[in-house]
Amino acid sequence: MSDQTDLDYIVAHSKARAFYPTYERKEELQHQTHYCPGCGHGMVHKMVAQAIDELGIQDRTILISPVGCSVFAYYYFDVGNVQAAHGRAPAVATAVKRTRPESIVISYQGDGDLAAIGSAEILHAANRGENISVIFVNNAIYSMTGGQMAPTTLMGQASTTSPGGRTPAEGYPLHICELLATLEAPVYLERVALGNNKQVAQAARAVRKAIENQVNGLGFSLVEVLSPCPTIWKMSAVEAQRWIHDVMEKTFVPRVYRDRTQTAEARPAPGPAISLEKVPAMLGVAAKETPAAFAGEGAATAEIDWQVRIAGFGGQGVLLLGEMMAEAGLDAGLEVSWLPSYGPEMRSGTSNCHVRLAREPIDSPLVGHPHVLVAMNEPSLHKFGSSVRRGGWVLYNGDDVPPECERRDVHIVARSFTHLADELGDARAANMVALGAVLEIAQVLPEASVDHALGRLVKSPRWLDLDARALTRGREVLREWRGEVCHAE
Amino acid sequence: MADGRRDGGRLQVDTDECKGCGLCVEACPPKVIALSERLNHYGYRTAEYAGAGCTGCGICFLVCPEPGAITVLRLKRRPAGAAEGASV
Ligand SMILES: Cc1ncc(C[n+]2csc(CCOP(=O)(O)OP(=O)(O)O)c2C)c(N)n1
Ligand code: SF4
Ligand code: SF4
Ligand code: SF4
């Protein structure tokens, strides 16, 4: 500063270091947050940032931002950031804290986010006593989406979805602090308000305490902040502040609902993760020294990306077929994914799974356009037949392809795998006949890997023997087919 | 200032960041903040120091929703005679 007399002044309060100096969200708004004038989120952000500065934890803080007006918190806080799906912040915070116990994890949420769609996540995180700090900004409304009723909306309060005011037909305001205070695990629960200077100062202390508790390893802390939303409440900033004090806090009483900060013992840090080497023994499978280098003959460097869809009735072993491929792929050192998709029925009903085998990491386990479709029954062929890529393969468990499912741009192998398996001794081995054919097509899984996978997934010696023969039969079927007429031109 | 009596604090407002919500005006105990007549380039009347008597209490900083709109300076208490300043 230029003024000579300023030399006698020191900076007592200024922007927290935990904020970025400027915000890159929008070219023309580098100095401004996106919040409306007088928005409580801004005040709470400052309290969080101040606490981070004071506790000296900026380099190990990870902020989980929600969906709601504060969705962009990561543009402002110069800390680690994760933006969670609506309501899921406490679950994400749990994962982050457990995998990085040295980090300080702050779950920042609105009342729609926490008390409506995320009510399960907050309840269970609190019940587990996760060592996280939750900052819960309650403005009694869904603000970002334009003012719909929230579980926290006051009785009689108008919203776009309760224009005549909330009535008992919409339930009653949900009291989160009171609710969580019925649980054993939480260490600290306090509701504060931003209704006047004194309350604002108390809110800042509470926010700091909730974060400090985590630094001290004490466990779950939550601060609920009654916070103004002048825009949706259709008030001036000053009126909104007064409304909190005069009206809102009659429903939501600010006070400490739980404070075991003095008596709580620091929770032991989670033990080190089990070493990978021990996992096979714990699962009762034989350990393998190293993942086999990919053994596909002569194909060690070729691109591999096989996408397979397998569909049939529940009970036809459709999921096991896919699991076998994935297991064998793992054994062969490939990247694999196996995504089962089935109804609640154990036997009848339909089921299908998506399998990918690749050399590069797999982006999505979903297989929309398979290279290979195994259709174990006619409905599956109807459902998925047209999704197969041109030049791909359809393996159909039936001797005749229904005319409407014929395609000239794919290879169609139609044989009753069920019948072939029956000839081998048990019709239920049809899935393995089909698998044999798939393996013969894809040619990326070495037989040894398939044997290993079979050994791991099939325990009964009778079935092991039958399945091995079924696999061989399936390979033969494909070779026979290759010698026959090719449907694809 | 010639008589040596100085305000206990000073208010600085970043007029690029202030959104003119008026919360600081309301909150300041000695009521030494007002909103400007001029609009900033976003169209807000911004907070400004009006008159004398800031105590440096920092309440305006606490209630302001904007991370860096307000900076509060406080008069340095120093032994008589020491003259060098350290403010930035
Ligand atoms: C899964 C899902 N459902 C619904 C929405 C729409 N949505 C966005 S924000 C929001 C409510 C936010 O309200 P609140 O958590 O109170 O935050 P505020 O905006 O008031 O700060 C909703 C329902 C969404 N983004 N995602
Ligand atoms: S709508 Fe309400 S909660 Fe959202 S930014 Fe504006 S004042 Fe804040
Ligand atoms: S520091 Fe205190 S006295 Fe000075 S302007 Fe801010 S609120 Fe008013
Ligand atoms: S509280 Fe902050 S944003 Fe609001 S008028 Fe004062 S300085 Fe401006």
Side-chain angles (χ1 to χ4, degrees):
Chain A
M1 284 179 303
S2 52
D3 188 342
Q4 192 55 39
T5 58
D6 287 338
L7 289 176
D8 294 335
Y9 287 88
I10 52 167
V11 175
H13 303 276
S14 62
K15 182 170 175 174
R17 291 186 305 279
F19 286 122
Y20 288 111
T22 55
Y23 319 124
E24 60 179 29
R25 191 176 72 90
K26 287 211 165 148
E27 188 78 36
E28 69 285 5
L29 280 179
Q30 302 269 318
H31 294 279
Q32 296 217 332
T33 66
H34 68 289
Y35 296 115
C36 310
C39 173
H41 279 300
M43 279 183 246
V44 180
H45 278 26
K46 279 174 76 175
M47 293 170 189
V48 171
Q50 190 74 31
I52 292 171
D53 277 13
E54 287 172 12
L55 294 166
I57 53 172
Q58 184 177 7
D59 58 351
R60 60 186 178 118
T61 295
I62 299 177
L63 183 74
I64 317 295
S65 46
V67 167
C69 280
S70 49
V71 64
F72 291 142
Y74 54 84
Y75 276 112
Y76 309 127
F77 285 91
D78 183 5
V79 298
N81 287 282
V82 180
Q83 196 277 312
H86 206 11
R88 308 302 185 245
V92 175
T94 298
V96 173
K97 184 68 185 183
R98 288 189 175 211
T99 49
R100 308 180 69 98
E102 74 293 347
S103 58
I104 301 301
V105 183
I106 302 171
S107 180
Y108 187 108
Q109 302 184 259
D111 50 316
D113 191 80
L114 183 143
I117 192 168
S119 51
E121 280 75 9
I122 193 62
L123 192 67
H124 293 289
N127 192 40
R128 293 189 304 267
E130 296 296 340
N131 187 21
I132 59 173
S133 312
V134 180
I135 308 300
F136 168 36
V137 178
N138 179 358
N139 54 24
I141 203 93
Y142 288 7
S143 299
M144 188 182 109
T145 42
Q148 296 81 1
M149 197 191 79
T152 41
T153 296
L154 307 188
M155 295 314 286
Q157 184 182 344
S159 71
T160 59
T161 47
S162 58
R166 184 179 192 171
T167 69
E170 287 85 47
Y172 297 84
L174 209 56
H175 293 83
I176 291 294
C177 280
E178 288 85 333
L179 207 63
L180 298 187
T182 64
L183 303 175
E184 190 51 39
V187 166
Y188 173 55
L189 302 168
E190 179 166 356
R191 181 181 294 122
V192 294
L194 303 180
N196 58 35
N197 292 351
K198 229 176 112 188
Q199 288 187 328
V200 174
Q202 176 55 26
R205 282 192 289 273
V207 165
R208 185 192 145 122
K209 181 167 173 169
I211 299 172
E212 194 170 13
N213 284 348
Q214 184 183 164
V215 173
N216 294 333
L218 300 187
F220 186 89
S221 297
L222 176 142
V223 177
E224 173 175 345
V225 186
L226 305 185
S227 171
C229 171
T231 302
I232 301 293
W233 295 357
K234 301 193 174 62
M235 298 178 192
S236 74
V238 173
E239 285 165 354
Q241 191 178 43
R242 293 207 182 110
W243 192 77
I244 290 177
H245 191 56
D246 296 344
V247 179
M248 197 176 173
E249 66 172 53
K250 303 287 181 286
T251 295
F252 295 111
V253 179
R255 69 175 178 85
V256 175
Y257 287 85
R258 165 75 54 81
D259 190 354
R260 298 194 179 144
T261 312
Q262 294 306 316
T263 52
E265 310 243 313
R267 291 156 59 92
I274 295 156
S275 76
L276 275 183
E277 292 77 57
K278 290 195 181 146
V279 173
M282 295 174 76
L283 295 176
V285 296
K288 208 150 51 75
E289 298 69 41
T290 45
F294 175 67
E297 296 94 308
T301 53
E303 277 282 294
I304 294 178
D305 183 9
W306 278 98
Q307 307 196 11
V308 182
R309 192 80 179 255
I310 304 142
F313 290 127
Q316 278 186 315
V318 156
L319 303 186
L320 179 65
L321 198 172
E323 210 180 345
M324 276 280 296
M325 291 190 69
E327 231 356 272
L330 265 187
D331 189 276
L334 293 175
E335 299 281 338
V336 307
S337 66
W338 171 69
L339 184 72
S341 155
Y342 48 86
E345 308 88 347
M346 290 302 280
R347 283 292 174 258
S348 59
T350 57
S351 71
N352 73 83
C353 65
H354 312 231
V355 175
R356 291 189 63 177
L357 303 174
R359 197 185 300 286
E360 298 297 322
I362 290 167
D363 49 4
S364 163
L366 285 175
V367 174
H369 296 286
H371 299 104
V372 181
L373 168 71
V374 178
M376 294 299 285
N377 59 19
E378 196 178 317
S380 300
L381 184 64
H382 273 113
K383 190 161 176 198
F384 298 113
S386 59
S387 70
V388 178
R389 293 176 194 226
R390 299 181 66 182
W393 292 79
V394 175
L395 302 185
Y396 175 51
N397 181 22
D399 291 323
D400 301 301
V401 175
E404 65 277 15
C405 293
E406 280 287 2
R407 281 177 63 179
R408 308 220 121 254
D409 58 346
V410 297
H411 310 77
I412 299 184
V413 182
R415 288 293 293 274
S416 172
F417 306 131
T418 305
H419 183 70
L420 295 172
D422 194 33
E423 285 174 358
L424 294 174
D426 196 320
R428 286 175 293 172
N431 59 342
M432 292 298 141
V433 177
L435 175 58
V438 176
L439 295 174
E440 193 63 25
I441 292 170
Q443 302 267 354
V444 292
L445 295 174
E447 269 187 59
S449 292
V450 177
D451 286 348
H452 286 153
L454 197 61
R456 240 168 258 163
L457 294 175
V458 179
K459 297 294 175 206
S460 127
R462 186 180 94 80
W463 275 99
L464 254 183
D465 170 66
L466 182 65
D467 283 346
R469 286 187 291 124
L471 282 171
T472 309
R473 188 72 190 95
R475 290 184 187 270
E476 283 167 14
V477 164
L478 209 274
R479 287 196 209 110
E480 286 162 18
W481 179 88
R482 280 212 169 103
E484 290 169 9
V485 191
C486 179
H487 288 72
E489 253 94 34
Chain B
M1 304 279 169
D3 58 358
R5 283 182 52 239
R6 324 276 295 275
D7 285 348
R10 282 180 172 227
L11 170 75
Q12 292 176 344
V13 176
D14 179 343
T15 52
D16 265 351
E17 190 168 342
C18 169
K19 291 175 183 157
C21 69
L23 286 174
C24 58
V25 176
E26 177 79 8
C28 172
K31 299 282 174 246
V32 295
I33 312 179
L35 291 183
S36 65
E37 289 305 319
R38 282 191 54 230
L39 305 180
N40 72 2
H41 70 282
Y42 297 111
Y44 296 127
R45 294 173 61 192
T46 56
E48 62 185 17
Y49 193 37
C54 171
T55 61
C57 67
I59 287 172
C60 54
F61 177 84
L62 196 66
V63 301
C64 172
E66 310 308 322
I70 286 183
T71 302
V72 174
L73 307 184
R74 195 179 287 149
L75 188 61
K76 206 159 54 162
R77 287 183 218 293
R78 57 192 161 87
E84 80 290 356
S87 76
V88 241

